[in-house]
Amino acid sequence: MSSQARKNPVSINTLNRMKARGSKFAALTAYDALFAELISSAGVDVLLVGDSLGMVLQGHDSTLPVTLDDMVYHMRCVRRGNQGALIMADLPFMSYASESQSLESAAELMRAGAHMVKLEGGAWLGESTRLLAERGIPVCAHMGLTPQSINRIGGYRVQGRDPSQAHAMVEEATILQDSGASVILLECVPVELGQEITERLEVPVIGIGAGPHTDGQIMVMHDMLGVTPTGIRVPKFVKNFLPESTDGLRGAFEVYAEAVKSGAFPAPEHCFT
Ligand code: KIV
């Protein structure tokens, strides 16, 4: 689909149907109304109001300083521009440290227009995921490299290379699905692990640096336009799509969406083995 209004807005049912028939879906971060409009009307199915805004908009060197108020502000902006994509919003660092806090923080993002909230972690999120899902709030569980835990992980590096760590990740993804997670997002894991989790789970799996087999792909918008801030290393899984565009920024978003849907992206050079 290119530069047209969608007939039907994307919902979690759309993503489930795409997984069932083996059609890939494309996701990108968006932080304001104008880019939300350009990206969603270029055929990108999912917009993520990501806490990566702390790094690409606010100039921090991690996502930790981002507040819930920041997320609500950007969520409202994105909702105004969105043309029918499903909007996912990040719960920022320490806004879901307890189950009751998860409910309150997620409710704020849903009132601001989110269709789904994203939390970073593993099986420990099971109870919060269940409480949110039971109350009508769809959850995306972000696993693998979880940037809010960067100080504990010790650096931006591939997760799940060790067989026992990979096995634990498969188990934890299953626990989160069984707790009610609607989507799993995998960041920076080997191709084989991305494939195994995607094949085992019934819910859609979105990958970033998780190989070509996940049901969807996501990237930070600035990275796919080749404008990563100075001082931040460009990860291996990033591709700049702007040079392939014949229609500026809008064209770059269309090329990205088409490359994901056709399976041309990610190529082997964007993957970890
Ligand atoms: O905040 C963000 O942009 C993200 C992506 C890296 C998936 O979580």
Side-chain angles (χ1 to χ4, degrees), residues 27-29 31 48 52 88 118 142-147 157-159 184-191 194 198 205-221 223-224 235-239 256 265-266 270-272:
L28 273 180
T29 63
Y31 314 100
L48 169 66
S52 50
M88 214 154 74
K118 178 161 82 58
H142 181 154
M143 303 182 67
L145 177 59
T146 47
R157 59 172 68 105
V158 184
Q159 302 295 302
I184 301 289
L185 187 147
L186 292 179
E187 178 165 354
C188 252
V189 300
V191 171
T198 306
V205 176
I206 307 181
I208 174 165
H213 304 290
T214 56
D215 304 302
Q217 297 289 334
I218 188 162
M219 228 200 291
V220 171
M221 174 193 96
D223 286 342
M224 60 76 62
K236 176 183 164 100
F237 55 75
V238 164
K239 176 173 172 182
Y256 167 74
F265 178 80
H270 308 119
C271 300
F272 305 102

Side-chain angles (χ1 to χ4, degrees), residues 31 35 37 42 67 87 90 135 143 204 212 228 230 263:
Y31 314 100
F35 278 98
E37 181 174 340
T67 65
I87 311 177
D90 266 331
R135 284 153 184 76
M143 303 182 67
T228 306
T230 315

